[in-house]
Amino acid sequence: MKETPVSSEPIPIIRRPRRVAGSGGSSTAALIMLGLAAKELRERAGLTQTALAKAIHVSNSTICRLEAARAENPPERRTVEAVLAHLRASPEKRAEMLSLLSRALEPEWYQHRYSDCTPDHLRRLLGLESMAISLTTYEARLVPGLLQSPGYTRCVVLTGLHLREWDSPEVESRLAQRRERQARVLGQDDPPRCVFLMDESVLYRRVGADEVMREQMEHLRELAARPHITVRFVLLDRMIAGNAGTMAGSMTHLVFGRGSLPDLVYVEGYEKADYHSKPTRSAEERARPWPVKENEFERHLQLLLRLQGEACASPAKSRLMLDDAVRRYA
């Protein structure tokens, strides 16, 4: 009897969106959902932001901040209640939005202990990545933070500090934050489906001593064996790796599922980051025979798809590359 070949590709895992409001959700996600709900109510009423602001006697920037969902400027309860009253929200919608507001006003997990060592540009990502049902990450220079071993993380942290800071409490705080972040995303009972793409040079770029590098390569190999994690390397001889977008640093595509947050692309540079949300298309735009102008979300998503289709080693080949790396640092 002829045997059926076993595929090296991961088995697809279907997940439902996570609940945003309540104890299981994040305050960042609740704030975004609140802003989207307020915008939807306003647009159904046929009002501009300026008209709504004038009607409830607040500044235009107040409505802008509510809909933009910036964690550094959360809305006041009286503003949300004024919006709900003027737009005549149903009792169900009112209860839903006030529940989102209550969750949005609570601190994020990192704010109690790690606020001082958490860069501003990273905060939205930290508040959202545990809510995703799917993550696709590309990293050009280092092992992604979610996959770093303790020794590798320590070397990365120390490299970014001045020598006189190596004995400071900030080092241990950063290490603890990284561990908790990994546990919150990958240690969940129902973790997201993750695809991690790394430049092949990550296998050779020395971050620490041989034992540090070997520990990291073994850690990657163990993680790659999990059913919800795929590790692939972008080969050095593939032309797409020279694309300006792939040289910038790192990118992450977060998928939250139908009826939840809009999909998001996070693009990180040196001490800064950009967040690009999946655009909404009107019925008129979807019906046009000509393509709608590409936006930053779609441009980076296309690049991630091209990396996987044109430049990456297969998961099986990538595991062999990790085996070679483990032997090289033995």
Side-chain angles (χ1 to χ4, degrees):
M1 182 176 177
K2 188 176 180 180
E3 294 184 1
T4 303
V6 178
S7 172
S8 62
E9 297 296 329
I11 299 173
I13 301 174
I14 300 175
R15 289 183 169 84
R16 296 178 179 177
R18 304 186 195 277
R19 187 168 178 264
V20 174
S23 58
S26 75
S27 61
T28 304
L31 184 62
I32 294 173
M33 291 296 285
L34 176 64
L36 292 172
K39 181 180 179 181
E40 182 184 12
L41 279 178
R42 175 182 61 76
E43 290 180 342
R44 284 186 179 181
L47 295 177
T48 64
Q49 289 182 340
T50 302
L52 178 57
K54 185 176 180 180
I56 64 173
H57 308 292
V58 298
S59 66
N60 188 51
S61 61
T62 298
I63 302 300
C64 290
R65 288 196 300 269
L66 169 61
E67 296 184 3
R70 298 299 179 190
E72 61 271 18
N73 290 301
E76 296 182 1
R77 185 180 181 90
R78 63 182 179 182
T79 300
V80 176
E81 290 184 336
V83 168
L84 293 171
H86 184 76
L87 298 179
R88 299 180 180 179
S90 66
E92 295 78 11
K93 177 60 72 173
R94 175 183 172 83
E96 174 194 337
M97 291 180 64
L98 290 179
S99 176
L100 288 171
L101 175 64
S102 295
R103 184 66 185 93
L105 294 178
E106 295 176 6
E108 270 294 358
W109 64 269
Y110 56 80
Q111 290 180 299
H112 288 301
R113 290 178 292 169
Y114 312 121
S115 183
D116 291 343
C117 63
T118 302
D120 290 342
H121 69 266
L122 191 62
R123 296 187 175 215
R124 176 166 284 214
L125 178 68
L126 295 185
L128 291 177
E129 58 187 358
S130 64
M131 298 295 298
I133 61 172
S134 173
L135 293 171
T136 301
T137 293
Y138 168 72
E139 177 60 62
R141 297 179 180 86
L142 298 169
V143 173
L146 288 174
L147 303 185
Q148 289 178 6
S149 63
Y152 190 96
T153 299
R154 179 177 288 276
C155 289
V156 171
V157 169
L158 291 178
T159 302
L161 297 175
H162 193 278
L163 288 174
R164 63 173 177 269
E165 299 176 299
W166 282 20
D167 294 326
S168 70
E170 183 179 351
V171 174
E172 295 306 320
S173 292
R174 291 193 182 196
L175 296 177
Q177 185 220 53
R178 182 64 51 84
R179 289 193 298 269
E180 184 166 345
R181 178 189 175 193
Q182 292 171 344
R184 285 178 173 274
V185 179
L186 302 181
Q188 299 180 79
D189 292 336
D190 184 22
R193 176 75 182 87
C194 298
V195 177
F196 292 98
L197 315 174
M198 284 169 270
D199 193 86
E200 185 181 355
S201 63
V202 170
L203 295 170
Y204 299 91
R205 181 167 292 110
R206 184 174 289 276
V207 169
D210 280 353
E211 55 268 26
V212 172
M213 298 301 294
R214 183 174 64 252
E215 177 195 48
Q216 178 61 75
M217 299 304 143
E218 291 174 342
H219 186 58
L220 282 176
R221 190 167 59 180
E222 292 169 4
L223 290 172
R226 297 184 185 181
H228 60 280
I229 294 178
T230 299
V231 172
R232 300 179 67 183
F233 294 101
V234 179
L235 300 172
L236 293 173
D237 61 355
R238 302 301 165 89
M239 291 180 63
I240 192 174
N243 182 292
T246 66
M247 302 300 288
S250 64
M251 294 178 284
T252 298
H253 176 217
L254 300 93
V255 177
F256 301 98
R258 186 182 297 274
S260 186
L261 300 163
D263 295 354
L264 183 74
V265 170
Y266 166 84
V267 184
E268 183 174 326
Y270 179 67
E271 295 188 344
K272 67 175 185 177
D274 295 310
Y275 293 84
H276 306 294
S277 294
K278 183 177 181 180
T280 55
R281 304 288 195 201
S282 65
E284 180 183 357
E285 289 175 325
R286 292 193 298 269
R288 288 176 183 170
W290 61 88
V292 178
K293 183 179 179 181
E294 187 178 60
N295 57 49
E296 288 300 304
F297 171 87
E298 291 168 338
R299 186 171 73 85
H300 286 92
L301 179 57
Q302 182 185 66
L303 181 55
L304 283 171
L305 293 172
R306 288 192 62 197
L307 281 170
Q308 294 179 76
E310 301 174 26
C312 279
S314 69
K317 172 64 176 175
S318 296
R319 285 192 288 272
L320 294 176
M321 294 168 72
L322 280 172
D323 291 339
D324 290 341
V326 170
R327 287 191 291 269
R328 186 162 58 250
Y329 293 114

